[in-house]
Amino acid sequence: MPRVSSKIPGVQGCAVERTLSLIDGKWKIVVLYKLLRGTLRFNELRRLIPNVTQRMLTHQLRELEADGLIVRTVYAQVPPRVEYALSVRGRSLEPVLMAMKEWGDTNLASDEAQAA
Amino acid sequence: MPRVSSKIPGVQGCAVERTLSLIDGKWKIVVLYKLLRGTLRFNELRRLIPNVTQRMLTHQLRELEADGLIVRTVYAQVPPRVEYALSVRGRSLEPVLMAMKEWGDTNLASDEAQAA
DNA sequence: CATCACGGTATCCTTTTTGACACTATGGGC
DNA sequence: GCCCATAGTGTCAAAAAGGATACCGTGATG
């Protein structure tokens, strides 16, 4: 991911870039997507997202949390119980996710090389 | 960037991920942004995007072209003249870019740590 | 003759990101 | 006593992305 490019604040397009930097990361979007439907526990996410490793999932969740997009709730139990949910801010990303989904659905459907 | 994660097609959220993979890359979004306003030549883009190196700009433009988002037109002149413009497909990304911009404008404005 | 602008390439190196794999603590079930 | 599940962490290594720098050919300009 880009991870914020220009050090100079105020550069045009900065908002877009910064937004992108928050949802970039190989699994973040999927995580956000899954969470749109409701709170999930760590291993539920793991099962919903095949191929993601524990380390990666943890890492992405930590970044999403640090960016204030999700909320992590730990229940002091044994066995541990940790729940992840979208924060208000995270849920506000829904239009962005949806715009991307719609674009993808109509523009990436079945074919690959369709320039214009 | 993620660059497409799951090999298994049909995974939910795939469209979003693939869309993301197209606009990821440290400068792609800025390039697309600049091109929303009209055709630009290589060095015009360079001047509009401070900090980008020639190598990076070329690279990003090539990927955008390969993905069918922009169109590259070479005029057989000396000195060379190469123009870049959004393709129809590229322009159709406008809602996505705009959704990201609006989100960024309202959610990243001035502050950083505002969880919820 | 030397220099500039154009639109790149080629090469090398560093940083960032991702992945594999092992390991941890606790309590319950068999 | 041994294994399972939970929700991680730590270490190491590979791969990908990004950046710095130098170079190319041409024609006009000085």
Side-chain angles (χ1 to χ4, degrees):
Chain A
M1 110 167 9
R3 282 278 148 233
V4 176
S5 57
S6 48
K7 293 80 177 72
I8 314 108
V11 170
Q12 278 176 313
C14 192
V16 196
E17 285 184 78
R18 303 229 354 237
T19 301
L20 176 63
S21 81
L22 296 187
I23 58 179
D24 188 19
K26 194 162 178 181
W27 310 97
K28 286 188 188 173
I29 289 214
V30 205
V31 170
L32 291 174
Y33 236 86
K34 300 296 180 184
L35 290 181
L36 273 180
R37 300 199 171 161
T39 299
L40 289 170
R41 299 179 56 174
F42 186 82
N43 275 353
E44 287 177 331
L45 278 168
R46 273 240 289 174
R47 281 187 286 263
L48 284 173
I49 309 173
N51 306 331
V52 77
T53 62
Q54 214 161 15
R55 185 185 162 288
M56 266 301 113
L57 184 54
T58 303
H59 191 62
Q60 304 282 288
L61 287 169
R62 290 286 184 276
E63 287 195 3
L64 288 170
E65 192 194 0
D67 289 334
L69 298 180
I70 64 174
V71 175
R72 178 169 176 264
T73 313
V74 182
Y75 296 89
Q77 307 177 351
V78 162
R81 176 187 183 80
V82 181
E83 289 186 347
Y84 292 93
L86 289 182
S87 66
V88 173
R89 194 187 198 185
R91 187 159 293 280
S92 73
L93 265 178
E94 193 165 351
V96 176
L97 277 316
M98 286 316 182
M100 290 178 59
K101 173 165 171 48
E102 292 198 5
W103 190 89
D105 282 345
T106 44
N107 290 277
L108 300 174
S110 68
D111 61 329
E112 296 284 0
Q114 91 207 141
Chain B
M1 106 156 20
R3 281 281 148 230
V4 175
S5 58
S6 48
K7 294 80 176 72
I8 314 110
V11 171
Q12 277 176 313
C14 191
V16 197
E17 285 185 77
R18 305 235 345 242
T19 302
L20 176 63
S21 81
L22 296 186
I23 58 179
D24 188 20
K26 195 161 176 180
W27 310 98
K28 286 188 187 173
I29 288 213
V30 204
V31 170
L32 291 174
Y33 236 86
K34 300 295 181 187
L35 290 181
L36 274 180
R37 301 199 171 161
T39 299
L40 289 170
R41 298 178 57 173
F42 186 82
N43 276 352
E44 287 176 330
L45 278 168
R46 273 240 287 173
R47 280 186 288 264
L48 284 174
I49 310 175
N51 307 332
V52 76
T53 61
Q54 215 160 16
R55 184 186 162 287
M56 265 301 114
L57 184 55
T58 303
H59 192 63
Q60 304 282 290
L61 288 169
R62 290 284 186 277
E63 287 195 3
L64 288 170
E65 192 195 1
D67 289 333
L69 298 179
I70 63 175
V71 175
R72 180 169 176 264
T73 314
V74 184
Y75 297 88
Q77 307 177 353
V78 162
R81 176 187 183 82
V82 180
E83 288 186 347
Y84 292 93
L86 288 181
S87 65
V88 172
R89 194 187 198 185
R91 187 160 294 279
S92 73
L93 265 179
E94 194 166 352
V96 175
L97 278 315
M98 287 316 181
M100 289 178 60
K101 173 165 172 47
E102 292 198 6
W103 191 89
D105 283 345
T106 44
N107 291 276
L108 301 174
S110 68
D111 62 328
E112 295 283 0
Q114 91 207 140

